[in-house]
Amino acid sequence: MKTKYILNQNQTHKMSSNLLKLLCLVFVLLQFSCSDDDLCEYNQILDCQDLQLNIGDACDSNGDGDADGTVNDACECVPKFPIITSCPGFIQNGDFEIITGDPNASIDQDIDLATHWKPLWQSGSLADLFNDTTTNYGAGCFVGPTPTSGVFAGMWIENTTNPAGNATYREGMFNELTTSIHQNTGIYNLSFDYANMSQNCASSRDVKIGIYGVYHPGSDPLPANPTGIATPTNIDLFGAANTVFLGEIIVTSSTSNTWITTSISIDTSTLTFPANGINHIMVTNSHLPFADYGKMFLGFDNFCLIN
């Protein structure tokens, strides 16, 4: 019995000694100042386990190896984006004043004379460029917008649900943005001026201007000419995966040739953007036309896109 008692005493002493060592180790760890970044990161409980990052950390938003994004509070890697609060903002040459030729050298189909603006397809019916000295707009009943505003664009906006409608009056223009805009990067505002230059022509019903965001590498050729007023659709022109419908502006039949300023709000959290974001704005007729046919020749100026 005495021997057993001595053994129990030894075991108790050993347990006490081990407990003391453990307490000392805990104390040391609590006092430990993490100087090894890799060790600290390993021991850290991360906000976003899937990304192995914390909210606010830099991250790679598109898999190209560059830390071009930031982890948001939903554990998503969203691209960083510049904040531009003055016009023309993301639009380049929004007032069309930077040109590389004479807008009056050709009556129409010369939108590409304006720097950073181009047509939507390779040839055929394109948007036009005019200025305050223009006297021939292509039709005797057309009138210039008022008040005068320097260089401006013009094009037909045709509204029809006729599947057999041809592409003669399908026109549009395309602006290369200063930088790409991505999904979940905030709310943007696009504004511009328009005027009805065909008010003295045959009467027309309301039409819709369609605004689209497009991802299109500058090195790629423009799409082939459309074969109809809606073939291919505006969504399919550059590919549905590369296009997002941003909104539309209704132009009423009573609209005159006096400039009207309009705007649309673009919420990048509610729209589905291309994987690479958008680097162009496309302006043309809406792919969602009214049931009743309408057609107007409209002037455009002073595009501005800010966030």
Side-chain angles (χ1 to χ4, degrees):
M1 181 66 69
K2 184 175 181 181
T3 303
K4 185 177 179 180
Y5 172 75
I6 293 173
L7 288 174
N8 286 341
Q9 267 194 323
N10 290 337
Q11 288 174 347
T12 302
H13 178 73
K14 185 180 292 185
M15 290 174 63
S16 298
S17 177
N18 289 339
L19 180 59
L20 182 60
K21 290 179 180 178
L22 178 61
L23 290 173
C24 290
L25 178 61
V26 170
F27 177 78
V28 170
L29 288 175
L30 289 174
Q31 298 300 312
F32 175 70
S33 177
C34 188
S35 59
D36 186 326
D37 291 340
D38 290 336
L39 181 61
C40 288
E41 184 176 348
Y42 178 79
N43 289 323
Q44 186 180 18
I45 298 176
L46 298 170
D47 297 328
C48 307
Q49 290 298 318
D50 288 345
L51 296 178
Q52 285 295 290
L53 294 170
N54 287 309
I55 294 170
D57 284 352
C59 56
D60 179 5
S61 67
N62 56 12
D64 64 358
D66 294 330
D68 63 341
T70 304
V71 179
N72 66 12
D73 55 8
C75 287
E76 300 169 323
C77 183
V78 296
K80 297 174 184 176
F81 62 103
I83 296 176
I84 301 177
T85 58
S86 60
C87 291
F90 290 83
I91 296 285
Q92 299 192 78
N93 193 24
D95 58 5
F96 301 98
E97 295 301 321
I98 304 173
I99 57 177
T100 57
D102 181 4
N104 297 313
S106 175
I107 295 174
D108 54 12
Q109 301 181 12
D110 54 357
I111 187 63
D112 48 359
L113 292 181
T115 303
H116 301 300
W117 290 89
K118 49 193 171 186
L120 295 182
W121 35 80
Q122 296 173 15
S123 62
S125 189
L126 317 175
D128 314 321
L129 206 61
F130 309 109
N131 63 18
D132 295 340
T133 67
T134 301
T135 57
N136 185 0
Y137 297 105
C141 59
F142 287 179
V143 292
T146 185
T148 55
S149 63
V151 183
F152 61 94
M155 63 180 170
W156 284 108
I157 297 293
E158 182 171 341
N159 181 95
T160 180
T161 58
N162 179 9
N166 64 44
T168 301
Y169 296 102
R170 182 176 179 177
E171 298 187 336
M173 54 188 176
F174 203 44
N175 184 267
E176 182 180 4
L177 303 180
T178 57
T179 187
S180 296
I181 296 175
H182 295 265
Q183 185 93 40
N184 296 320
T185 54
I187 296 176
Y188 297 73
N189 185 76
L190 173 68
S191 62
F192 59 92
D193 299 338
Y194 69 88
N196 182 7
M197 297 174 61
S198 59
Q199 65 171 357
N200 295 334
C201 306
S203 60
S204 176
R205 295 185 177 90
D206 299 354
V207 297
K208 294 180 182 180
I209 304 167
I211 310 295
Y212 302 80
V214 175
Y215 172 71
H216 178 69
S219 58
D220 289 358
L222 290 171
N225 296 0
T227 57
I229 190 66
T231 309
T233 70
N234 294 334
I235 298 295
D236 293 326
L237 192 62
F238 288 88
N242 297 318
T243 307
V244 55
F245 179 49
L246 301 176
E248 59 187 12
I249 302 297
I250 296 174
V251 183
T252 63
S253 58
S254 60
T255 300
S256 72
N257 69 321
T258 300
W259 289 115
I260 297 172
T261 300
T262 189
S263 66
I264 62 171
S265 179
I266 303 167
D267 188 344
T268 60
S269 66
T270 61
L271 300 172
T272 302
F273 272 58
N276 292 313
I278 61 172
N279 59 354
H280 289 82
I281 291 292
M282 175 170 75
V283 184
T284 185
N285 63 346
S286 174
H287 71 293
L288 303 171
F290 290 116
D292 296 323
Y293 177 80
K295 183 176 69 175
M296 294 183 199
F297 190 85
L298 300 177
F300 294 87
D301 206 356
N302 297 323
F303 281 85
C304 173
L305 178 59
I306 57 176
N307 55 2

